[in-house]
Amino acid sequence: MPEIVSIYREPLGVYLNSFEGPYIQSVIRHLEEKTKHLLDKKDVCAYIKAISSLIEIEEQQGKTLLLPDSRTELRNMLNYSFIESSVDRIYSALPTIFESGNRDDLKMIYSLLNRIHGLPRLVPMCREFETYIFKHIINKSPAPTVADDNADVSTGTEVPYTSIFIDTILSTMEQLEQLLSECFDKNESFVEGKNSAFIKAVNSPELRDRCKSVPMRLLAEYFNLILRANNATARKAEASSTDPEMAITAEIRRVLRLYKLSKSRDMFLNQYELHLARRLLNEQSVSLELERTVVTMISTTESMEITTKLKDMLTDIDTSHDMSRSFSQKIIEDRSVSVSDVYIKVLKESSWPSVIMAERAEWDSPPAQLAEICEKFTGAYNERHSAYDKGHSGRDTAKRRLRWMWEYSKCSIQFFFPHSTGRIARTGYTFVLNTYQLAILMLFTESAGLGSGYDSPTGPRFTLEQIRLSTKIDELYIKAELAIFYKARILIPVTVNSRTLVQLNDKYNSKRLRIDISAIKRVRRAQEEEKVAKKTIEDRRWYMMSDITYTMKGRKTMEFNELFFEVAKKRAGVFEVTRDEYKDALEKVIDRDIVKRGDGNDRKTLYYMA
């Protein structure tokens, strides 16, 4: 009986020599015979399964036959004979087992390695797990196709590749976290390895090459897709009787974790700012309240300064709503303008993306219907702010200057096609147009005047030059707007005597009563996004030049590498400083005679000069 013989184990050696030793040796020989053929075949996976099962059986039997101290000895011998002696073979099989995705095998290997000295034996497996995560994320990431490159979001549908790419990355990360939980018991070392691998993969050149873009640009585009009105997430939520805004908020929280892993947050923020500006200007947001929620969620990760412009844009829209209501009420009371509802956005130039604010075209000849409204609003705005400035500063200040953004201004008109038939044609179509489109379309109405050909069977016909002279719009803008009209089949090009003329489509027919063709063109969107990306890179150089100057001013003398690490540390929360970018910024500072290199063998030492 265990209670009786335990006192004889060490002092007399009866139990130790006559039972424990022979028993353990016989177990080892038995298991070696059972598993030898598997090692000869070099079938590591089969060996792992067999040895895991046999060790469990022998340990269960040992609980019945052996004393507690003897069970420990049995465990140690089993560990040494069947795990420690084969650990190199197990390590060599890890890449294959990870790639196979067999969670049972991974769980067994983790349990076996965890039996022998714990963490030290798990380190190689943890490193292999990191490598597997990195490769798995890269390999799972889809590459764009030609169809994806040509996809258009102006119709309100998603760019397929952007959605697929972001969702694939997040789904892969979630699957790997589930693997960590099921196979590795959320071991802290494995959790740290997982986090490290996620950061490395999201910021890797391999992922950029895979998606042919900067992942943070795609992430900003994905935010834009799910925050646009009538997006897929909202439609799916409505179909399942779920609150769309709650569904979108949940998706935003899911996606933000990818943003937090990034070392190129400045690229995301600049692209997000551009997309937010477009949604607000084109009135395409799901809701302003949801936009504020997202900005608040971003601001919890970033400093207040970075998200100030985003908040200012939303404030401008709120102020514009109030101002437009007041102005609409005033023109209704005056009865001097044949328009009953006006919505005018007044934007503070410093708060909105420069690529949008800088490319405003001057236009001295807006349609008469709009010119009168613009003149009245400008007068009301100047009157309001002159009184405000005088009351706060004690003197009458210069009038604030309003510059109209014609490309982003739009209106609704009811339009009739003289030769079109059908129920909707008789009641008239409602077109939503920007002001350039309005000016062009008004040439094809009775208001075009005598001699325009409006009463002819084909209606008015104009050359590109005639349209330019009549509207005073730049030829590039006219071509862009005509392309939209052609696509919508409202206007059509015809060839007469080798000349290309533009006329109304007298056979126009549509099942929709309201048609919106005012959205910004895809080519323009792509150009703006590319400009923002280039500006982000230029801004990085200026930030690094500022950091170099500030640091050298305080330290006076520093080594090349020491200064590099100092600059990289300061910008770590916004973007990753590469050595090439750092060298470029340093050369700019040296060219400005702020810093100089040492002479001769002292070239790696930098000296502050200014």
Side-chain angles (χ1 to χ4, degrees):
M1 299 294 290
E3 292 78 5
I4 299 175
V5 301
S6 60
I7 59 173
Y8 297 109
R9 183 177 185 275
E10 294 296 337
L12 299 179
V14 175
Y15 172 82
L16 183 65
N17 297 327
S18 300
F19 183 75
E20 179 187 295
Y23 177 83
I24 292 176
Q25 291 174 10
S26 65
V27 168
I28 299 300
R29 285 195 300 270
H30 172 68
L31 296 190
E32 284 177 345
E33 291 174 1
K34 286 274 190 179
T35 58
K36 185 177 183 300
H37 69 286
L38 297 175
L39 289 177
D40 292 340
K41 292 180 180 179
K42 297 182 180 180
D43 191 345
V44 177
C45 290
Y47 175 79
I48 291 169
K49 292 177 182 178
I51 205 64
S52 296
S53 176
L54 293 171
I55 285 177
E56 183 178 356
I57 293 172
E58 292 300 336
E59 287 187 337
Q60 287 295 328
Q61 189 171 342
K63 290 180 180 179
T64 304
L65 301 176
L66 299 175
L67 295 171
D69 290 345
S70 300
R71 294 174 207 158
T72 302
E73 186 66 22
L74 173 64
R75 180 184 177 87
N76 292 339
M77 289 298 295
L78 290 172
N79 289 346
Y80 177 79
S81 300
F82 299 102
I83 304 175
E84 187 78 36
S85 61
S86 304
V87 72
D88 291 335
R89 293 183 181 181
I90 295 175
Y91 289 156
S92 65
L94 284 175
T96 304
I97 297 173
F98 270 114
E99 288 299 329
S100 71
N102 192 315
R103 299 193 176 189
D104 291 334
D105 288 351
L106 290 171
K107 192 172 183 178
M108 281 189 289
I109 293 176
Y110 173 79
S111 299
L112 289 176
L113 294 177
N114 203 28
R115 289 169 59 98
I116 51 173
H117 309 300
L119 182 60
R121 287 302 185 186
L122 288 173
V123 168
M125 188 176 191
C126 184
R127 289 175 180 168
E128 190 59 46
F129 182 50
E130 286 186 50
T131 302
Y132 167 72
I133 290 176
F134 178 83
K135 291 180 178 179
H136 193 62
I137 291 176
I138 301 300
N139 293 334
K140 282 286 185 179
S141 303
T145 63
V146 175
D148 294 325
D149 292 336
N150 294 330
D152 191 355
V153 296
S154 62
T155 58
T157 58
E158 292 77 10
V159 177
Y161 176 68
T162 302
S163 299
I164 293 171
F165 176 80
I166 297 298
D167 189 62
T168 300
I169 293 290
L170 290 169
S171 298
T172 302
M173 290 169 59
E174 290 161 358
Q175 291 168 7
L176 291 168
E177 287 177 333
Q178 187 178 5
L179 174 68
L180 173 66
S181 177
E182 290 182 9
C183 300
F184 309 126
D185 296 330
K186 294 184 178 180
N187 183 291
E188 289 185 7
S189 297
F190 281 77
V191 171
E192 291 176 4
K194 179 261 300 181
N195 294 336
S196 176
F198 281 175
I199 293 173
K200 182 180 177 183
V202 168
N203 297 283
S204 67
E206 291 86 345
L207 190 62
R208 289 196 293 273
D209 293 341
R210 186 81 172 180
C211 66
K212 299 180 182 179
S213 180
V214 178
M216 286 302 102
R217 286 185 65 175
L218 295 178
L219 183 64
E221 173 64 23
Y222 186 72
F223 269 78
N224 184 48
L225 294 176
I226 61 180
L227 288 171
R228 285 168 62 100
N230 196 33
N231 65 76
T233 303
R235 293 197 301 270
K236 185 178 179 181
E238 289 172 354
S240 60
S241 301
T242 307
D243 182 6
E245 291 198 13
M246 288 183 62
I248 293 171
T249 303
E251 181 65 10
I252 290 291
R253 293 186 188 280
R254 175 175 177 252
V255 176
L256 269 176
R257 63 174 306 191
L258 195 59
Y259 165 71
K260 293 176 182 178
L261 295 172
S262 173
K263 293 181 180 180
S264 302
R265 294 182 182 179
D266 58 337
M267 182 68 74
F268 168 83
L269 289 169
N270 290 339
Q271 294 287 338
Y272 180 85
E273 177 187 285
L274 176 61
H275 289 305
L276 174 61
R278 287 179 186 156
R279 291 195 300 274
L280 296 178
L281 291 176
N282 294 319
E283 300 173 30
Q284 293 176 332
S285 291
V286 174
S287 74
L288 290 179
E289 194 58 42
L290 187 57
E291 295 285 7
R292 291 190 192 91
T293 300
V294 175
V295 171
T296 301
M297 293 165 69
I298 294 174
S299 64
T300 59
T301 305
E302 302 298 339
S303 64
M304 293 295 292
E305 179 184 357
I306 293 177
T307 56
T308 296
K309 289 182 69 175
L310 303 180
K311 294 177 181 178
D312 285 348
M313 284 193 285
L314 292 168
T315 300
D316 283 351
I317 296 301
D318 286 336
T319 304
S320 297
H321 275 297
D322 297 337
M323 195 179 302
S324 295
R325 278 196 297 267
S326 175
F327 180 66
S328 294
Q329 184 62 34
K330 183 176 180 179
I331 63 175
I332 290 173
E333 293 172 356
D334 291 347
R335 297 181 180 179
S336 57
V337 180
S338 60
V339 176
S340 60
D341 189 20
V342 177
Y343 177 36
I344 298 175
K345 304 180 185 72
V346 180
L347 315 178
K348 187 169 63 177
E349 188 166 352
S350 60
S351 300
W352 292 74
S354 59
V355 294
I356 288 179
M357 306 303 288
E359 294 194 7
R360 290 169 296 184
E362 296 296 334
W363 189 29
D364 298 327
S365 302
Q369 296 88 336
L370 291 180
E372 186 178 1
I373 296 175
C374 293
E375 183 179 350
K376 286 184 175 294
F377 181 82
T378 301
Y381 180 84
N382 288 334
E383 180 182 349
R384 171 178 176 175
H385 284 283
S386 293
Y388 175 86
D389 293 338
K390 186 175 181 179
H392 283 73
S393 63
R395 59 187 178 85
D396 193 4
T397 58
K399 293 181 180 179
R400 305 184 185 202
R401 184 184 178 192
L402 287 179
R403 292 192 292 176
W404 295 89
M405 299 176 63
W406 300 112
E407 275 191 277
Y408 289 95
S409 302
K410 60 183 181 180
C411 61
S412 299
I413 67 167
Q414 192 171 20
F415 196 85
F416 296 86
F417 290 84
H419 304 292
S420 186
T421 59
R423 181 178 59 83
I424 296 179
R426 287 194 296 270
T427 58
Y429 295 97
T430 299
F431 291 141
V432 181
L433 312 170
N434 65 41
T435 47
Y436 290 161
Q437 293 166 345
L438 175 65
I440 294 172
L441 194 59
M442 293 301 288
L443 297 177
F444 298 87
T445 65
E446 288 179 310
S447 61
L450 296 175
S452 64
Y454 180 77
D455 293 328
S456 68
T458 58
R461 288 178 172 180
F462 299 100
T463 64
L464 182 64
E465 180 64 14
Q466 288 173 327
I467 294 175
R468 186 187 68 79
L469 292 174
S470 299
T471 61
K472 305 295 192 297
I473 301 173
D474 186 275
E475 186 175 329
L476 290 175
Y477 288 102
I478 293 175
K479 289 181 177 179
E481 302 304 347
L482 286 178
I484 298 297
F485 278 123
Y486 294 160
K487 185 176 181 180
R489 298 178 295 107
I490 296 171
L491 301 178
I492 57 174
V494 294
T495 303
V496 178
N497 298 328
S498 301
R499 291 195 312 164
T500 299
L501 303 176
V502 182
Q503 71 174 46
L504 275 176
N505 178 11
D506 57 352
K507 297 181 180 179
Y508 181 82
N509 189 24
S510 175
K511 295 181 180 179
R512 293 187 297 164
L513 181 62
R514 180 183 175 88
I515 299 100
D516 186 349
I517 63 170
S518 65
I520 188 170
K521 273 61 69 182
R522 182 175 183 267
V523 173
R524 175 70 179 274
R525 288 201 313 271
Q527 290 172 348
E528 287 179 348
E529 289 167 18
E530 194 58 37
K531 285 181 180 179
V532 169
K534 290 180 179 178
K535 185 178 181 299
T536 302
I537 301 301
E538 292 172 1
D539 287 346
R540 289 180 180 180
R541 187 194 306 134
W542 285 108
Y543 284 132
M544 286 187 286
M545 289 171 63
S546 174
D547 292 339
I548 290 170
T549 302
Y550 180 81
T551 303
M552 289 300 298
K553 184 176 181 179
R555 303 280 285 275
K556 305 302 181 186
T557 303
M558 291 186 76
E559 293 295 317
F560 177 88
N561 287 333
E562 184 185 6
L563 180 59
F564 168 74
F565 290 122
E566 191 70 26
V567 172
K569 181 180 178 182
K570 285 185 178 182
R571 294 295 158 189
V574 182
F575 62 88
E576 184 177 19
V577 178
T578 66
R579 284 194 173 269
D580 288 340
E581 291 173 337
Y582 164 70
K583 288 178 182 178
D584 182 51
L586 180 59
E587 290 300 326
K588 297 288 184 184
V589 175
I590 292 174
D591 290 343
R592 293 167 186 261
D593 294 329
I594 298 173
V595 173
K596 73 171 185 177
R597 297 181 185 274
D599 299 325
N601 296 328
D602 196 29
R603 296 285 293 170
K604 290 187 178 181
T605 304
L606 304 170
Y607 299 92
Y608 182 70
M609 295 175 60

